[in-house]
Amino acid sequence: MPAPAGPAPSPPEPLFGDPAFPPGRAAGLARLAHFVPRSGAAYAAGRNTDPGPDQPGAVSRLSPWLRYRLIDEQEVIAAVLARHRLPDCDKFVQEVLWRTYWKGWLERRPAVWSRFIEERDRQRDNPPDPLLLADAEAGRTGIEGFDDWARELVGTGYLHNHARMWFASIWIFTLRLPWALGADFFLRHLIDADAASNILSWRWVAGLQTAGKTYLATADNIARHTGGRFAPRGLASEAVALVEPPIGAAGPVPPAAPAPPPDPALLLVTADDLHPEALWTPGHPVAGVLVVDDPALLWGDRARGFVNAAMTDTAARLGAHFAATPSLRTGLDASGLVAVAEAAGVRHIVTPYAPVGPVADALAAIEPTLAAAGVALHRVRREWDEWFWPHATKGFFPFKERIPAVLRELGLT
Ligand SMILES: Cc1cc2nc3c(=O)[nH]c(=O)nc-3n(C[C@H](O)[C@H](O)[C@H](O)COP(=O)(O)OP(=O)(O)OC[C@H]3O[C@@H](n4cnc5c(N)ncnc54)[C@H](O)[C@@H]3O)c2cc1C
């Protein structure tokens, strides 16, 4: 009997082929559209399984586009909620909101970011076991799974969430390597390398984030969730939490001030938000668009390559959106920005709010020079962050309780 006619099955999406993560907003939206039908029960059932880099899995692999905000959390959740009811897709919604939560948590405790930089530099200058460190990064420890993930990370720029957790746990508790150097290794190779999501996840595994609560990778758990591909022997049998001096209470969410002026302004685009047209107030005059690619504000070449190509795509979109000819510049420097602002005849630069991390640090460093030249820098924050970050006060669970109410406020449910 011939098969009944029906809709043609959608072709399988390329995985780690060529290219696995095509840069650009259209590619992110296409991946989102492909994933949305699978974002309910299928995601909840399969998200913990890592079938390997060359196999289709249940997770979305949307993280590079979300990291640079080529697509943003709000539109991802809106697309999912347009297809599924909340109880059916709450696992996926919560995972996306882990990202928002980590960002908000770090905004309120920026000292954790500076403490990481100090600790990383201290450990880099004097690593406790340089040979073991080199073996761990090269995938030469002899630990099944761990060595494969090290090579997968370097080879693809991506790891499944569960592999990230196992890898971090083995790094800290079996190999007893410094957690900050593990976080640094991830930052140098992940395309989605992100200050908050990476550092706070490593701290969480180490028992620093939720004081005393660690994550211990076990051979049984790894075998179960890798379809039996790996069952490493000799893993640490206990995970004693690392300790650090107290970090102090959460501060307020920093203001996204000063408010943008009514006068024409230059729109400054950085790697931290490559879809800024979404937060531009209609009617607000744009005197020019400047897209700044600064490789020094990213950690690794894969991320740099992704962002560089994505910026070309963003500049083309912004040109059409604002009927302007965007300038693409390399390097975020004050004198260059002042020159572009003067050429455009403006005294205001508006930029999407950069959360704690290298871009925010670079903007803070150049702001006094801009001000001295009579150019004001205005940071505009997304509604999503304004609504959620105030709730990132303590752990994820109180934050999670607020999710349904905020989604209602945002008109998403
Ligand atoms: C040690 C460690 C380091 C990590 N470093 C990073 C990092 O540098 N950058 C990064 O974006 N994520 C990081 N994560 C979080 C998570 O592993 C990735 O976001 C996720 O694996 C990306 O794959 P996906 O898009 O298929 O996720 P999906 O499961 O499809 O989730 C959808 C989206 O939700 C967000 N998300 C999901 N899980 C988490 C999580 N646990 N924390 C924060 N956001 C999450 C991501 O934006 C992701 O794209 C890290 C996790 C660990 C344990």
Side-chain angles (χ1 to χ4, degrees):
M1 284 258 299
S10 54
E13 223 206 345
L15 284 172
F16 292 99
D18 180 27
F21 294 99
R25 178 166 159 77
L29 288 173
R31 182 158 297 184
L32 174 62
H34 189 267
F35 173 71
V36 161
R38 302 155 173 79
S39 59
Y43 177 82
R47 74 187 180 93
N48 279 327
T49 299
D50 178 6
D54 47 359
Q55 298 296 322
V59 296
S60 70
R61 293 174 301 114
L62 281 168
S63 52
W65 291 275
L66 279 162
R67 156 64 179 94
Y68 303 105
R69 283 198 152 159
L70 282 155
I71 58 174
D72 64 76
E73 293 94 320
Q74 187 159 342
E75 66 185 323
V76 168
I77 302 278
V80 165
L81 288 173
R83 173 77 180 232
H84 304 278
R85 287 170 193 273
L86 194 50
D88 301 335
C89 62
D90 61 359
K91 264 294 154 211
F92 183 73
V93 169
Q94 283 166 21
E95 289 307 310
V96 172
L97 276 150
W98 265 104
R99 170 179 172 77
T100 308
Y101 166 73
W102 286 140
K103 301 301 276 182
W105 193 96
L106 196 57
E107 281 303 306
R108 311 186 63 161
R109 298 160 188 86
V112 171
W113 164 242
S114 356
R115 190 181 279 193
F116 162 73
I117 301 284
E118 283 162 22
E119 177 69 5
R120 180 202 62 186
D121 292 349
R122 196 174 64 80
Q123 297 285 359
R124 261 187 192 166
D125 290 346
N126 193 14
D129 189 339
L131 289 180
L132 181 60
L133 178 64
D135 283 347
E137 293 200 359
R140 282 192 310 253
T141 64
I143 301 176
E144 197 180 302
F146 182 91
D147 287 350
D148 302 79
W149 298 316
R151 289 194 294 268
E152 183 182 334
L153 171 64
V154 173
T156 68
Y158 177 83
L159 278 184
H160 185 282
N161 180 58
H162 225 157
R164 298 183 198 207
M165 291 165 61
W166 296 319
F167 186 93
S169 179
I170 295 170
W171 179 286
I172 297 167
F173 299 115
T174 299
L175 298 175
R176 299 189 171 276
L177 286 166
W179 76 269
L181 294 185
D184 178 51
F185 176 53
F186 269 24
L187 288 174
R188 285 185 281 115
H189 293 285
L190 285 169
I191 300 175
D192 63 31
D194 180 83
S197 292
N198 183 60
I199 290 157
L200 301 184
S201 296
W202 275 85
R203 287 172 51 87
W204 178 82
V205 170
L208 294 169
Q209 192 63 18
T210 309
K213 189 176 178 302
T214 53
Y215 176 75
L216 180 67
T218 66
D220 282 354
N221 183 266
I222 292 171
R224 185 160 62 250
H225 292 293
T226 57
R229 285 184 301 130
F230 307 120
R233 284 195 298 271
L235 299 188
S237 57
E238 60 170 356
V240 178
L242 307 188
V243 287
E244 64 175 357
I247 49 174
V253 175
D263 325 14
L266 186 69
L267 171 60
L268 168 66
V269 182
T270 69
D272 275 2
D273 196 318
L274 294 179
H275 185 216
E277 63 269 44
L279 40 69
W280 199 259
T281 316
H284 196 95
V286 173
V289 177
L290 180 60
V291 181
V292 176
D293 186 9
D294 193 333
L297 303 180
L298 298 164
W299 293 273
D301 287 343
R302 281 185 181 275
R304 290 184 186 117
F306 182 88
V307 166
N308 179 271
M311 282 189 163
T312 307
D313 165 78
T314 295
R317 267 193 354 261
L318 294 179
H321 186 88
F322 292 114
T325 307
S327 320
L328 264 165
R329 258 186 91 81
T330 305
L332 188 59
D333 64 291
S335 53
L337 290 193
V338 170
V340 177
E342 280 173 357
V346 298
R347 308 187 71 77
H348 300 278
I349 297 179
V350 177
T351 193
Y353 185 90
V356 169
V359 174
D361 289 349
L363 289 172
I366 63 173
E367 196 168 10
T369 313
L370 296 179
V375 177
L377 183 66
H378 307 263
R379 298 165 172 85
V380 188
R381 197 142 63 209
R382 286 175 180 266
E383 190 186 27
W384 182 265
D385 300 334
E386 287 290 81
W387 276 96
F388 277 111
W389 286 358
H391 301 298
T393 44
K394 296 194 178 108
F396 182 71
F397 292 94
F399 177 87
K400 191 172 86 172
E401 300 293 307
R402 309 294 309 168
I403 295 175
V406 176
L407 292 180
R408 265 195 310 279
E409 292 288 352
L410 289 166
L412 296 181
T413 56

PDB file of all heavy atoms in Angstrom, residues 130-160:
ATOM      1  N   PRO A 130      50.805  22.565  35.876  1.00  0.00           N
ATOM      2  CA  PRO A 130      50.716  22.975  34.468  1.00  0.00           C
ATOM      3  C   PRO A 130      50.569  21.803  33.497  1.00  0.00           C
ATOM      4  O   PRO A 130      49.860  21.911  32.498  1.00  0.00           O
ATOM      5  CB  PRO A 130      52.036  23.714  34.220  1.00  0.00           C
ATOM      6  CG  PRO A 130      52.584  24.041  35.553  1.00  0.00           C
ATOM      7  CD  PRO A 130      52.022  23.061  36.526  1.00  0.00           C
ATOM      8  N   LEU A 131      51.204  20.652  33.804  1.00  0.00           N
ATOM      9  CA  LEU A 131      51.118  19.516  32.875  1.00  0.00           C
ATOM     10  C   LEU A 131      49.710  18.940  32.860  1.00  0.00           C
ATOM     11  O   LEU A 131      49.145  18.635  31.803  1.00  0.00           O
ATOM     12  CB  LEU A 131      52.126  18.430  33.269  1.00  0.00           C
ATOM     13  CG  LEU A 131      53.586  18.805  33.008  1.00  0.00           C
ATOM     14  CD1 LEU A 131      54.518  17.679  33.425  1.00  0.00           C
ATOM     15  CD2 LEU A 131      53.793  19.133  31.520  1.00  0.00           C
ATOM     16  N   LEU A 132      49.133  18.800  34.054  1.00  0.00           N
ATOM     17  CA  LEU A 132      47.764  18.277  34.137  1.00  0.00           C
ATOM     18  C   LEU A 132      46.790  19.248  33.463  1.00  0.00           C
ATOM     19  O   LEU A 132      45.862  18.837  32.759  1.00  0.00           O
ATOM     20  CB  LEU A 132      47.377  18.058  35.602  1.00  0.00           C
ATOM     21  CG  LEU A 132      45.968  17.490  35.830  1.00  0.00           C
ATOM     22  CD1 LEU A 132      45.813  16.135  35.151  1.00  0.00           C
ATOM     23  CD2 LEU A 132      45.670  17.369  37.316  1.00  0.00           C
ATOM     24  N   LEU A 133      47.018  20.534  33.660  1.00  0.00           N
ATOM     25  CA  LEU A 133      46.158  21.544  33.030  1.00  0.00           C
ATOM     26  C   LEU A 133      46.216  21.400  31.503  1.00  0.00           C
ATOM     27  O   LEU A 133      45.178  21.387  30.828  1.00  0.00           O
ATOM     28  CB  LEU A 133      46.621  22.941  33.461  1.00  0.00           C
ATOM     29  CG  LEU A 133      45.867  24.114  32.876  1.00  0.00           C
ATOM     30  CD1 LEU A 133      44.413  24.113  33.343  1.00  0.00           C
ATOM     31  CD2 LEU A 133      46.534  25.438  33.285  1.00  0.00           C
ATOM     32  N   ALA A 134      47.431  21.245  30.979  1.00  0.00           N
ATOM     33  CA  ALA A 134      47.579  21.102  29.524  1.00  0.00           C
ATOM     34  C   ALA A 134      46.899  19.821  29.048  1.00  0.00           C
ATOM     35  O   ALA A 134      46.220  19.809  28.003  1.00  0.00           O
ATOM     36  CB  ALA A 134      49.060  21.092  29.155  1.00  0.00           C
ATOM     37  N   ASP A 135      47.036  18.739  29.806  1.00  0.00           N
ATOM     38  CA  ASP A 135      46.396  17.472  29.419  1.00  0.00           C
ATOM     39  C   ASP A 135      44.870  17.602  29.454  1.00  0.00           C
ATOM     40  O   ASP A 135      44.173  17.084  28.583  1.00  0.00           O
ATOM     41  CB  ASP A 135      46.832  16.340  30.360  1.00  0.00           C
ATOM     42  CG  ASP A 135      48.245  15.856  30.037  1.00  0.00           C
ATOM     43  OD1 ASP A 135      48.773  16.220  28.953  1.00  0.00           O
ATOM     44  OD2 ASP A 135      48.820  15.132  30.868  1.00  0.00           O
ATOM     45  N   ALA A 136      44.369  18.291  30.467  1.00  0.00           N
ATOM     46  CA  ALA A 136      42.911  18.447  30.583  1.00  0.00           C
ATOM     47  C   ALA A 136      42.372  19.227  29.382  1.00  0.00           C
ATOM     48  O   ALA A 136      41.350  18.865  28.787  1.00  0.00           O
ATOM     49  CB  ALA A 136      42.558  19.151  31.892  1.00  0.00           C
ATOM     50  N   GLU A 137      43.057  20.286  28.999  1.00  0.00           N
ATOM     51  CA  GLU A 137      42.572  21.106  27.873  1.00  0.00           C
ATOM     52  C   GLU A 137      42.718  20.368  26.545  1.00  0.00           C
ATOM     53  O   GLU A 137      41.955  20.606  25.613  1.00  0.00           O
ATOM     54  CB  GLU A 137      43.321  22.445  27.831  1.00  0.00           C
ATOM     55  CG  GLU A 137      42.997  23.326  29.023  1.00  0.00           C
ATOM     56  CD  GLU A 137      43.318  24.796  28.790  1.00  0.00           C
ATOM     57  OE1 GLU A 137      43.807  25.144  27.711  1.00  0.00           O
ATOM     58  OE2 GLU A 137      43.057  25.596  29.708  1.00  0.00           O
ATOM     59  N   ALA A 138      43.714  19.490  26.461  1.00  0.00           N
ATOM     60  CA  ALA A 138      43.943  18.777  25.198  1.00  0.00           C
ATOM     61  C   ALA A 138      43.152  17.468  25.123  1.00  0.00           C
ATOM     62  O   ALA A 138      43.200  16.781  24.099  1.00  0.00           O
ATOM     63  CB  ALA A 138      45.430  18.495  25.042  1.00  0.00           C
ATOM     64  N   GLY A 139      42.438  17.109  26.197  1.00  0.00           N
ATOM     65  CA  GLY A 139      41.716  15.838  26.184  1.00  0.00           C
ATOM     66  C   GLY A 139      42.657  14.646  26.271  1.00  0.00           C
ATOM     67  O   GLY A 139      42.494  13.652  25.576  1.00  0.00           O
ATOM     68  N   ARG A 140      43.656  14.732  27.179  1.00  0.00           N
ATOM     69  CA  ARG A 140      44.663  13.667  27.306  1.00  0.00           C
ATOM     70  C   ARG A 140      44.765  13.147  28.739  1.00  0.00           C
ATOM     71  O   ARG A 140      45.822  12.701  29.170  1.00  0.00           O
ATOM     72  CB  ARG A 140      46.054  14.224  26.941  1.00  0.00           C
ATOM     73  CG  ARG A 140      46.348  14.393  25.484  1.00  0.00           C
ATOM     74  CD  ARG A 140      47.840  14.658  25.282  1.00  0.00           C
ATOM     75  NE  ARG A 140      48.343  15.705  26.133  1.00  0.00           N
ATOM     76  CZ  ARG A 140      48.683  16.933  25.710  1.00  0.00           C
ATOM     77  NH1 ARG A 140      48.597  17.250  24.445  1.00  0.00           N
ATOM     78  NH2 ARG A 140      49.135  17.848  26.570  1.00  0.00           N
ATOM     79  N   THR A 141      43.669  13.199  29.495  1.00  0.00           N
ATOM     80  CA  THR A 141      43.779  12.763  30.895  1.00  0.00           C
ATOM     81  C   THR A 141      43.568  11.265  31.033  1.00  0.00           C
ATOM     82  O   THR A 141      43.842  10.699  32.088  1.00  0.00           O
ATOM     83  CB  THR A 141      42.705  13.458  31.770  1.00  0.00           C
ATOM     84  OG1 THR A 141      41.417  13.027  31.304  1.00  0.00           O
ATOM     85  CG2 THR A 141      42.810  14.961  31.712  1.00  0.00           C
ATOM     86  N   GLY A 142      43.006  10.635  29.995  1.00  0.00           N
ATOM     87  CA  GLY A 142      42.658   9.221  30.105  1.00  0.00           C
ATOM     88  C   GLY A 142      41.277   9.021  30.718  1.00  0.00           C
ATOM     89  O   GLY A 142      40.840   7.875  30.880  1.00  0.00           O
ATOM     90  N   ILE A 143      40.579  10.095  31.066  1.00  0.00           N
ATOM     91  CA  ILE A 143      39.233   9.939  31.642  1.00  0.00           C
ATOM     92  C   ILE A 143      38.217   9.933  30.499  1.00  0.00           C
ATOM     93  O   ILE A 143      38.065  10.923  29.780  1.00  0.00           O
ATOM     94  CB  ILE A 143      38.905  11.069  32.651  1.00  0.00           C
ATOM     95  CG1 ILE A 143      39.927  11.065  33.783  1.00  0.00           C
ATOM     96  CG2 ILE A 143      37.487  10.911  33.203  1.00  0.00           C
ATOM     97  CD1 ILE A 143      39.756  12.205  34.779  1.00  0.00           C
ATOM     98  N   GLU A 144      37.550   8.781  30.364  1.00  0.00           N
ATOM     99  CA  GLU A 144      36.561   8.603  29.295  1.00  0.00           C
ATOM    100  C   GLU A 144      35.481   9.685  29.405  1.00  0.00           C
ATOM    101  O   GLU A 144      35.047  10.011  30.501  1.00  0.00           O
ATOM    102  CB  GLU A 144      35.936   7.222  29.524  1.00  0.00           C
ATOM    103  CG  GLU A 144      35.203   6.636  28.375  1.00  0.00           C
ATOM    104  CD  GLU A 144      34.659   5.267  28.788  1.00  0.00           C
ATOM    105  OE1 GLU A 144      35.441   4.387  29.184  1.00  0.00           O
ATOM    106  OE2 GLU A 144      33.426   5.116  28.718  1.00  0.00           O
ATOM    107  N   GLY A 145      35.056  10.192  28.327  1.00  0.00           N
ATOM    108  CA  GLY A 145      34.028  11.241  28.345  1.00  0.00           C
ATOM    109  C   GLY A 145      34.686  12.604  28.497  1.00  0.00           C
ATOM    110  O   GLY A 145      34.632  13.429  27.585  1.00  0.00           O
ATOM    111  N   PHE A 146      35.363  12.797  29.592  1.00  0.00           N
ATOM    112  CA  PHE A 146      35.998  14.101  29.847  1.00  0.00           C
ATOM    113  C   PHE A 146      36.909  14.488  28.679  1.00  0.00           C
ATOM    114  O   PHE A 146      36.832  15.612  28.157  1.00  0.00           O
ATOM    115  CB  PHE A 146      36.805  14.031  31.155  1.00  0.00           C
ATOM    116  CG  PHE A 146      37.465  15.335  31.524  1.00  0.00           C
ATOM    117  CD1 PHE A 146      36.820  16.263  32.330  1.00  0.00           C
ATOM    118  CD2 PHE A 146      38.736  15.643  31.047  1.00  0.00           C
ATOM    119  CE1 PHE A 146      37.432  17.475  32.647  1.00  0.00           C
ATOM    120  CE2 PHE A 146      39.354  16.843  31.360  1.00  0.00           C
ATOM    121  CZ  PHE A 146      38.690  17.759  32.164  1.00  0.00           C
ATOM    122  N   ASP A 147      37.756  13.539  28.243  1.00  0.00           N
ATOM    123  CA  ASP A 147      38.674  13.838  27.138  1.00  0.00           C
ATOM    124  C   ASP A 147      37.893  14.109  25.847  1.00  0.00           C
ATOM    125  O   ASP A 147      38.267  14.994  25.060  1.00  0.00           O
ATOM    126  CB  ASP A 147      39.643  12.665  26.915  1.00  0.00           C
ATOM    127  CG  ASP A 147      40.690  12.582  28.019  1.00  0.00           C
ATOM    128  OD1 ASP A 147      40.780  13.532  28.828  1.00  0.00           O
ATOM    129  OD2 ASP A 147      41.402  11.564  28.079  1.00  0.00           O
ATOM    130  N   ASP A 148      36.799  13.358  25.661  1.00  0.00           N
ATOM    131  CA  ASP A 148      35.976  13.557  24.446  1.00  0.00           C
ATOM    132  C   ASP A 148      35.317  14.933  24.474  1.00  0.00           C
ATOM    133  O   ASP A 148      35.236  15.608  23.450  1.00  0.00           O
ATOM    134  CB  ASP A 148      34.904  12.472  24.378  1.00  0.00           C
ATOM    135  CG  ASP A 148      35.526  11.085  24.378  1.00  0.00           C
ATOM    136  OD1 ASP A 148      35.921  10.609  25.478  1.00  0.00           O
ATOM    137  OD2 ASP A 148      35.658  10.489  23.311  1.00  0.00           O
ATOM    138  N   TRP A 149      34.840  15.357  25.656  1.00  0.00           N
ATOM    139  CA  TRP A 149      34.178  16.677  25.725  1.00  0.00           C
ATOM    140  C   TRP A 149      35.188  17.801  25.514  1.00  0.00           C
ATOM    141  O   TRP A 149      34.867  18.812  24.899  1.00  0.00           O
ATOM    142  CB  TRP A 149      33.447  16.853  27.068  1.00  0.00           C
ATOM    143  CG  TRP A 149      32.365  15.830  27.256  1.00  0.00           C
ATOM    144  CD1 TRP A 149      31.446  15.430  26.319  1.00  0.00           C
ATOM    145  CD2 TRP A 149      32.119  15.037  28.428  1.00  0.00           C
ATOM    146  NE1 TRP A 149      30.637  14.446  26.843  1.00  0.00           N
ATOM    147  CE2 TRP A 149      31.027  14.180  28.138  1.00  0.00           C
ATOM    148  CE3 TRP A 149      32.689  14.959  29.685  1.00  0.00           C
ATOM    149  CZ2 TRP A 149      30.503  13.273  29.063  1.00  0.00           C
ATOM    150  CZ3 TRP A 149      32.176  14.060  30.615  1.00  0.00           C
ATOM    151  CH2 TRP A 149      31.101  13.230  30.296  1.00  0.00           C
ATOM    152  N   ALA A 150      36.413  17.604  26.035  1.00  0.00           N
ATOM    153  CA  ALA A 150      37.435  18.647  25.818  1.00  0.00           C
ATOM    154  C   ALA A 150      37.668  18.821  24.317  1.00  0.00           C
ATOM    155  O   ALA A 150      37.728  19.947  23.802  1.00  0.00           O
ATOM    156  CB  ALA A 150      38.734  18.279  26.524  1.00  0.00           C
ATOM    157  N   ARG A 151      37.772  17.702  23.605  1.00  0.00           N
ATOM    158  CA  ARG A 151      38.030  17.797  22.151  1.00  0.00           C
ATOM    159  C   ARG A 151      36.800  18.320  21.414  1.00  0.00           C
ATOM    160  O   ARG A 151      36.911  19.089  20.464  1.00  0.00           O
ATOM    161  CB  ARG A 151      38.458  16.426  21.609  1.00  0.00           C
ATOM    162  CG  ARG A 151      39.875  16.024  22.068  1.00  0.00           C
ATOM    163  CD  ARG A 151      40.389  14.848  21.262  1.00  0.00           C
ATOM    164  NE  ARG A 151      39.607  13.643  21.507  1.00  0.00           N
ATOM    165  CZ  ARG A 151      39.898  12.735  22.437  1.00  0.00           C
ATOM    166  NH1 ARG A 151      40.975  12.865  23.190  1.00  0.00           N
ATOM    167  NH2 ARG A 151      39.126  11.684  22.609  1.00  0.00           N
ATOM    168  N   GLU A 152      35.615  17.892  21.881  1.00  0.00           N
ATOM    169  CA  GLU A 152      34.377  18.375  21.239  1.00  0.00           C
ATOM    170  C   GLU A 152      34.242  19.891  21.404  1.00  0.00           C
ATOM    171  O   GLU A 152      33.897  20.616  20.460  1.00  0.00           O
ATOM    172  CB  GLU A 152      33.167  17.663  21.863  1.00  0.00           C
ATOM    173  CG  GLU A 152      31.832  18.042  21.227  1.00  0.00           C
ATOM    174  CD  GLU A 152      30.654  17.345  21.913  1.00  0.00           C
ATOM    175  OE1 GLU A 152      30.830  16.261  22.500  1.00  0.00           O
ATOM    176  OE2 GLU A 152      29.544  17.917  21.863  1.00  0.00           O
ATOM    177  N   LEU A 153      34.542  20.358  22.599  1.00  0.00           N
ATOM    178  CA  LEU A 153      34.451  21.802  22.857  1.00  0.00           C
ATOM    179  C   LEU A 153      35.388  22.574  21.924  1.00  0.00           C
ATOM    180  O   LEU A 153      34.987  23.548  21.267  1.00  0.00           O
ATOM    181  CB  LEU A 153      34.808  22.084  24.317  1.00  0.00           C
ATOM    182  CG  LEU A 153      34.976  23.552  24.702  1.00  0.00           C
ATOM    183  CD1 LEU A 153      33.668  24.306  24.548  1.00  0.00           C
ATOM    184  CD2 LEU A 153      35.492  23.685  26.133  1.00  0.00           C
ATOM    185  N   VAL A 154      36.632  22.124  21.860  1.00  0.00           N
ATOM    186  CA  VAL A 154      37.612  22.834  21.032  1.00  0.00           C
ATOM    187  C   VAL A 154      37.252  22.687  19.547  1.00  0.00           C
ATOM    188  O   VAL A 154      37.387  23.632  18.766  1.00  0.00           O
ATOM    189  CB  VAL A 154      39.040  22.302  21.321  1.00  0.00           C
ATOM    190  CG1 VAL A 154      40.054  22.898  20.353  1.00  0.00           C
ATOM    191  CG2 VAL A 154      39.433  22.621  22.769  1.00  0.00           C
ATOM    192  N   GLY A 155      36.732  21.527  19.176  1.00  0.00           N
ATOM    193  CA  GLY A 155      36.441  21.267  17.765  1.00  0.00           C
ATOM    194  C   GLY A 155      35.164  21.907  17.255  1.00  0.00           C
ATOM    195  O   GLY A 155      35.055  22.192  16.057  1.00  0.00           O
ATOM    196  N   THR A 156      34.174  22.115  18.153  1.00  0.00           N
ATOM    197  CA  THR A 156      32.867  22.603  17.666  1.00  0.00           C
ATOM    198  C   THR A 156      32.438  23.936  18.265  1.00  0.00           C
ATOM    199  O   THR A 156      31.544  24.585  17.727  1.00  0.00           O
ATOM    200  CB  THR A 156      31.741  21.598  17.996  1.00  0.00           C
ATOM    201  OG1 THR A 156      31.541  21.575  19.414  1.00  0.00           O
ATOM    202  CG2 THR A 156      32.064  20.192  17.499  1.00  0.00           C
ATOM    203  N   GLY A 157      32.996  24.307  19.422  1.00  0.00           N
ATOM    204  CA  GLY A 157      32.558  25.544  20.079  1.00  0.00           C
ATOM    205  C   GLY A 157      31.271  25.386  20.862  1.00  0.00           C
ATOM    206  O   GLY A 157      30.656  26.368  21.287  1.00  0.00           O
ATOM    207  N   TYR A 158      30.851  24.150  21.085  1.00  0.00           N
ATOM    208  CA  TYR A 158      29.585  23.908  21.778  1.00  0.00           C
ATOM    209  C   TYR A 158      29.701  22.640  22.606  1.00  0.00           C
ATOM    210  O   TYR A 158      30.395  21.694  22.220  1.00  0.00           O
ATOM    211  CB  TYR A 158      28.444  23.740  20.756  1.00  0.00           C
ATOM    212  CG  TYR A 158      27.104  23.405  21.381  1.00  0.00           C
ATOM    213  CD1 TYR A 158      26.281  24.394  21.890  1.00  0.00           C
ATOM    214  CD2 TYR A 158      26.681  22.078  21.482  1.00  0.00           C
ATOM    215  CE1 TYR A 158      25.064  24.078  22.482  1.00  0.00           C
ATOM    216  CE2 TYR A 158      25.461  21.745  22.069  1.00  0.00           C
ATOM    217  CZ  TYR A 158      24.657  22.751  22.563  1.00  0.00           C
ATOM    218  OH  TYR A 158      23.456  22.439  23.156  1.00  0.00           O
ATOM    219  N   LEU A 159      29.007  22.592  23.741  1.00  0.00           N
ATOM    220  CA  LEU A 159      28.808  21.360  24.505  1.00  0.00           C
ATOM    221  C   LEU A 159      27.385  21.359  25.028  1.00  0.00           C
ATOM    222  O   LEU A 159      26.844  22.411  25.405  1.00  0.00           O
ATOM    223  CB  LEU A 159      29.741  21.295  25.721  1.00  0.00           C
ATOM    224  CG  LEU A 159      31.191  20.838  25.571  1.00  0.00           C
ATOM    225  CD1 LEU A 159      31.847  20.770  26.956  1.00  0.00           C
ATOM    226  CD2 LEU A 159      31.289  19.479  24.882  1.00  0.00           C
ATOM    227  N   HIS A 160      26.804  20.172  25.106  1.00  0.00           N
ATOM    228  CA  HIS A 160      25.484  19.992  25.732  1.00  0.00           C
ATOM    229  C   HIS A 160      25.573  20.428  27.202  1.00  0.00           C
ATOM    230  O   HIS A 160      26.628  20.276  27.838  1.00  0.00           O
ATOM    231  CB  HIS A 160      25.121  18.503  25.611  1.00  0.00           C
ATOM    232  CG  HIS A 160      23.752  18.157  26.099  1.00  0.00           C
ATOM    233  ND1 HIS A 160      23.445  18.027  27.436  1.00  0.00           N
ATOM    234  CD2 HIS A 160      22.609  17.922  25.420  1.00  0.00           C
ATOM    235  CE1 HIS A 160      22.160  17.715  27.564  1.00  0.00           C
ATOM    236  NE2 HIS A 160      21.626  17.650  26.343  1.00  0.00           N
TER     237      HIS A 160
END
